[in-house]
């Protein structure tokens, strides 16, 4: 139970810090970039370092980066299908999720495939 309390506290502090950073930056559309996802990732890595050591946390960080690259590719593909191919949202996202998973799994295997 204490791990959940630590995650809650650290996550809340980091989310608040990123929210303040996003509020200070211009344009305000950058505020979304500093929302919950980076904060949760940093809190998770901090706890991983504390509980399991740097080696374990580095594997987790590599996995997070692979997932981020896969998400970026997915997002670009969905945008292209929606704007250029004029597809509807459901077919575009459903088709693109296959690319997302393939990219994430491929990059995960490339960095060592450890979890």
């Amino acid at each position: 139970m204490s791990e959940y309390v630590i995650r809650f506290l650290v996550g809340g502090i980091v989310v608040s810090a990123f929210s303040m950073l996003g509020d200070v930056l211009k344009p305000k559309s950058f505020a979304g970039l500093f929302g919950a996802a980076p904060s949760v990732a940093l809190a998770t890595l901090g706890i991983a370092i504390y509980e399991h050591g740097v080696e374990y946390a580095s594997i987790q960080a590599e996995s997070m980066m692979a997932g981020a690259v896969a998400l970026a590719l997915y997002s670009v593909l969905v945008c292209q299908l929606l704007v250029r191919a004029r597809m509807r949202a459901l077919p575009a996202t459903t088709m693109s999720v296959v690319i997302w998973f393939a990219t994430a799994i491929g990059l995960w295997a490339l960095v060592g495939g450890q979890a």
Side-chain angles (χ1 to χ4, degrees), residues 38-62:
S39 308
V40 171
L42 288 175
T44 301
L45 287 176
I47 292 169
I49 290 170
Y50 178 74
E51 289 186 355
H52 303 286
V54 177
E55 300 291 325
Y56 178 82
S58 70
I59 293 169
Q60 297 301 313
E62 289 172 351

Side-chain angles (χ1 to χ4, degrees), residues 9-53:
L9 293 174
V10 172
I13 291 168
V14 177
V15 165
S16 297
F18 272 103
S19 294
M20 287 188 295
L21 179 65
D23 194 42
V24 170
L25 292 177
K26 304 280 188 240
K28 291 297 179 192
S29 61
F30 281 137
L33 294 174
F34 299 106
S39 308
V40 171
L42 288 175
T44 301
L45 287 176
I47 292 169
I49 290 170
Y50 178 74
E51 289 186 355
H52 303 286

Side-chain angles (χ1 to χ4, degrees), residues 31-103:
L33 294 174
F34 299 106
S39 308
V40 171
L42 288 175
T44 301
L45 287 176
I47 292 169
I49 290 170
Y50 178 74
E51 289 186 355
H52 303 286
V54 177
E55 300 291 325
Y56 178 82
S58 70
I59 293 169
Q60 297 301 313
E62 289 172 351
S63 298
M64 288 179 189
M65 289 186 287
V69 169
L71 178 61
L73 180 62
Y74 166 83
S75 301
V76 168
L77 181 59
V78 168
C79 287
Q80 294 299 313
L81 291 174
L82 291 174
V83 174
R84 294 184 189 256
R86 302 216 184 269
M87 289 181 73
R88 297 184 57 92
L90 184 61
T93 55
T94 304
M95 288 174 22
S96 299
V97 81
V98 174
I99 301 299
W100 183 0
F101 286 132
T103 304

